[in-house]
């Protein structure tokens, strides 16, 4: 990092009129710019929602007028606002309306007691028709490790109601026997093309539904009202402000999501820059032209190009799901080589390669190539869910075809998650200029990475799981996306894990230490992933992502310096102020009260 002085200051001349004066000046700070040199400055000035000065205190003082507000940072760190390039904010807000297991690792009795409490709380609901919906179930964290839940777990709850429990990963549901009856799911129910109705040893549904099979129940659930959706989206905006998120990509947008955020925008409550990836239905893989047309329909209706500094809605991305998740018990990520299975005994386990590589990818290779090329021709960037290394490879193959197609060189495709990548494909991300959008918080010892992956991947693959630094070292553009509400919204914990590959000390001795032999990412690379690199994937690098003259004033003030504290304390960082387009959207009590 470069500590730049007055010589590097821009627009340092004294204002000749009140019109030239800054609206707000920050001085005496550690202003981390994330510019090309990661320079550190001392002061910053904002006028009409844009940055008009970055430099030292002396130059900033020349922009002070009678109406200028001056904030003494007292050495605190000021940096660009975080850009979360993969999340599901409406879903995050809506989950507050449900019975919530809060991502906790639970024993079966604890799991049942929590749900029973929700049943009892809704004791006025009588009969056996109204669904109880339970959310934020950490399926891979059930105790003891490796436990596979079934409908019997839910049948023990004292309720005649159908019950559905949603895995926080978003790729599986657990349903009780009454729920299976209501949904008409039996041993004779046809298997969906891109999901699984898990069967027990007798061939009957076990209660677990994976990926597309979840729709058999989801289609029966009462929808949240438009008013509830607007409330959920508004809550999400407030939550993002507290975390310091000033731009986001809703990574799987449907008409309900678009309508909710459009209502929030009309109310003037859109307090972060909102980008949306219109979801492409897997059944549209059979008709690539229809798939592209479905995205363009949402673009035409909801994309905005308003001038000014206030947040608006942008729809310039499309979401495709190529597979499920690689963690047990689902094992629905598409792999290059088979998952391991235990051919031994409980006393003497013997893990060897099995017969399953997971399901075929949800979009066949030819269809995926046609869709990403069609999207690029229409000016839309593909944002592709890939969890297993097989899905990663097929998607990179499609991007290789995209780069060779007319107009394909300007596309900005992104591969989201990429929890396991075959080493032969590390360098292809950079060679094809494909961004890797990764959830840093997954790169730690935890139930999903230890019990859910270690034995099933085998030692060689497990050593490179969550390959953030490996892709970075191979030249890939690494981008951060939290995937909220798959995990709790805790951006600074995620960034800490990106640096350390360690869990929280409170996780206990079983999950102490670092995940695998790969190192964490350098701190500067972690912040760039959540600022400029993320801005690039959203085609906004000219407007946000760094603190430079002319850019939008999207910035945050931290209570401590990201670069000057011990690694573990990064998770404890608090955002004192969040500014979007020069407007304060979050401020801690007592900050800047002088």
């Amino acid at each position: 990092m470069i500590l730049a002085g007055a010589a590097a200051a821009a627009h340092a001349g004294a204002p000749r009129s009140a019109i030239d004066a800054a609206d707000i000046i920050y001085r005496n700070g550690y202003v981390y710019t994330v510019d090309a040199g990661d320079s550190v400055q001392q002061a910053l000035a904002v006028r009409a929602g844009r940055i008009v000065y970055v430099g030292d205190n002396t130059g900033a003082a020349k922009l002070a007028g009678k109406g200028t507000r001056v904030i003494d940072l007292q050495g605190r760190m000021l940096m660009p606002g975080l850009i979360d390039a993969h999340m599901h904010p409406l879903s995050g807000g809506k989950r507050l309306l449900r019975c919530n297991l809060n991502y906790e690792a639970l024993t079966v009795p604890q799991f049942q007691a929590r749900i029973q409490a929700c049943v009892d709380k809704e004791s006025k609901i009588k009969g056996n028709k109204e669904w109880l919906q339970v959310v934020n179930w950490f399926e891979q964290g059930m105790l003891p490790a490796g436990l596979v839940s079934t409908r019997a777990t839910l049948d023990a709850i004292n309720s005649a109601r159908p019950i559905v429990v949603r895995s926080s990963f978003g790729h599986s549901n657990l349903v009780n026997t009454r729920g299976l009856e209501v949904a008409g799911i039996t041993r004779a129910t046809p298997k969906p093309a891109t999901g699984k109705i898990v069967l027990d040893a007798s061939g009957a549904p076990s209660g677990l539904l994976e990926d597309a099979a979840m729709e058999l129940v989801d289609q029966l659930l009462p929808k949240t009202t438009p008013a509830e959706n607007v409330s959920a989206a508004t809550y999400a905006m407030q939550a993002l402000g507290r975390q310091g998120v000033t731009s986001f990509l809703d990574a799987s947008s449907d008409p309900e999501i678009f309508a909710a955020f459009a209502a929030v925008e009309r109310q003037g409550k859109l307090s972060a820059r909102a980008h949306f990836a219109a979801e492409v239905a897997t059944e549209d893989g059979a008709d690539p032209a229809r798939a592209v047309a479905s995205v363009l329909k949402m673009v035409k209706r909801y994309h905005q190009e308003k001038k000014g500094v206030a947040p608006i809605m942008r729809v310039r991305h499309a979401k495709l799901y190529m597979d499920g998740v690689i963690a047990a018990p689902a094992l629905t990520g598409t792999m290059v080589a088979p998952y391991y299975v235990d051919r031994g005994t409980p006393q003497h386990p013997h893990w060897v390669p099995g017969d399953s590589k997971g399901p075929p990818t949800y979009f066949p290779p030819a269809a995926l190539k046609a869709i990403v090329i069609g999207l690029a021709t229409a000016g839309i960037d593909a944002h592709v869910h890939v969890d297993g290394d097989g899905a990663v490879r097929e998607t990179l193959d499609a991007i290789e075809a995209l780069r060779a197609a007319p107009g394909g060189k300007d596309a900005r495709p992104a591969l989201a998650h990429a929890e396991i990548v075959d080493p032969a494909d590390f360098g292809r991300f950079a060679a094809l200029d494909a961004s890797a959008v990764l959830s840093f918080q997954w790169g730690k010892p935890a139930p999903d990475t230890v019990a859910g992956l270690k034995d099933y991947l085998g030692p060689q693959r497990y050593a490179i799981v969550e390959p953030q630094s490996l892709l970075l070292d191979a030249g890939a553009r690494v981008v951060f996306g939290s995937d909220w509400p798959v995990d709790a919204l805790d951006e600074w914990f995620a960034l800490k894990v990106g640096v350390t590959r360690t869990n929280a000390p409170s996780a206990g001795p079983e999950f102490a230490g670092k995940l695998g032999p790969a190192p964490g990412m350098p701190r500067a690379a972690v912040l760039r992933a959540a600022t400029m690199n993320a801005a690039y994937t959203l085609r906004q690098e000219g407007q946000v992502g760094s603190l430079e003259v002319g850019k939008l004033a999207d910035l945050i003030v931290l209570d401590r310096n990201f670069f000057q504290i011990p690694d573990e304390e990064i998770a404890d960082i608090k955002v004192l102020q969040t500014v979007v387009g020069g407007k304060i959207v979050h401020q801690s009590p007592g900050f800047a009260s002088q």
Side-chain angles (χ1 to χ4, degrees), residues 25-29 42-44 57 60-61 70-75:
I25 291 174
Y26 295 88
R27 63 190 305 273
N28 291 332
Q42 190 178 36
L44 179 144
N57 287 337
V70 179
I71 294 179
D72 187 345
L73 292 172
Q74 300 177 4

Side-chain angles (χ1 to χ4, degrees), residues 255-527:
E256 183 181 52
I257 291 169
F258 283 121
F261 279 98
V264 172
E265 193 273 336
R266 287 194 299 271
Q267 294 174 4
K269 295 181 179 179
L270 196 60
S271 55
R273 304 191 189 281
H275 299 258
F276 299 86
E279 183 176 340
V280 177
T282 53
E283 55 265 29
D284 281 349
D287 189 344
R290 184 175 66 186
V292 174
S294 70
V295 173
L296 294 181
K297 182 179 179 180
M298 295 296 102
V299 173
K300 182 177 180 180
R301 184 169 182 181
Y302 292 107
H303 180 73
Q304 298 176 328
E305 286 291 353
K306 298 178 183 178
K307 294 183 178 180
V309 300
I312 58 175
M313 295 178 61
R314 287 188 170 90
V315 189
R316 282 289 182 258
H317 296 79
K319 173 65 173 290
L320 299 95
Y321 287 91
M322 281 294 281
D323 64 347
V325 294
I326 61 175
L331 303 178
T332 50
T334 303
M335 304 297 290
V336 170
Y339 290 100
Y340 276 47
V341 295
D342 186 3
R343 303 292 192 198
T345 66
Q347 294 77 23
H348 301 286
H350 180 54
W351 290 86
V352 296
D355 300 322
S356 174
K357 297 180 182 179
T361 48
Y362 297 165
F363 287 90
L368 180 65
K369 291 175 184 178
I371 292 171
V372 298
I373 291 171
L375 290 169
T377 301
I380 305 299
D381 293 321
H383 189 95
V384 188
H385 169 112
V386 290
D387 214 49
D389 53 8
V392 170
R393 177 165 294 173
E394 288 190 22
T395 303
L396 290 172
D397 290 345
I399 294 171
E400 187 170 347
L402 168 67
R403 293 305 188 201
K409 296 187 184 305
D410 294 331
R412 298 188 182 185
L415 284 72
H417 310 316
E419 291 197 82
I420 183 74
V421 178
D422 190 281
D425 292 321
F426 285 171
R428 297 183 71 195
F429 281 82
L432 296 171
D433 193 21
S435 297
V437 182
L438 309 177
S439 297
F440 295 167
Q441 72 275 12
W442 296 350
K444 65 185 186 302
D448 51 323
T449 52
V450 178
L453 290 180
K454 187 173 184 179
D455 292 330
Y456 298 93
L457 294 184
Q460 289 185 325
R461 287 184 297 192
Y462 187 67
I464 58 171
V465 76
E466 306 298 345
Q468 290 99 332
S469 65
L470 300 177
L471 291 175
L472 181 71
D473 290 345
R477 179 185 302 103
V478 174
V479 179
F480 172 68
S482 68
D483 210 15
W484 180 55
V486 168
D487 298 281
L489 184 62
D490 194 342
E491 306 279 299
W492 298 96
F493 173 74
L495 299 183
K496 187 276 294 191
V497 177
V499 172
T500 66
R501 292 178 71 82
T502 61
N503 207 328
S506 59
E510 182 181 2
F511 304 116
K514 188 167 67 72
L515 178 66
M521 295 171 60
R523 295 196 194 196
V526 164
L527 284 193

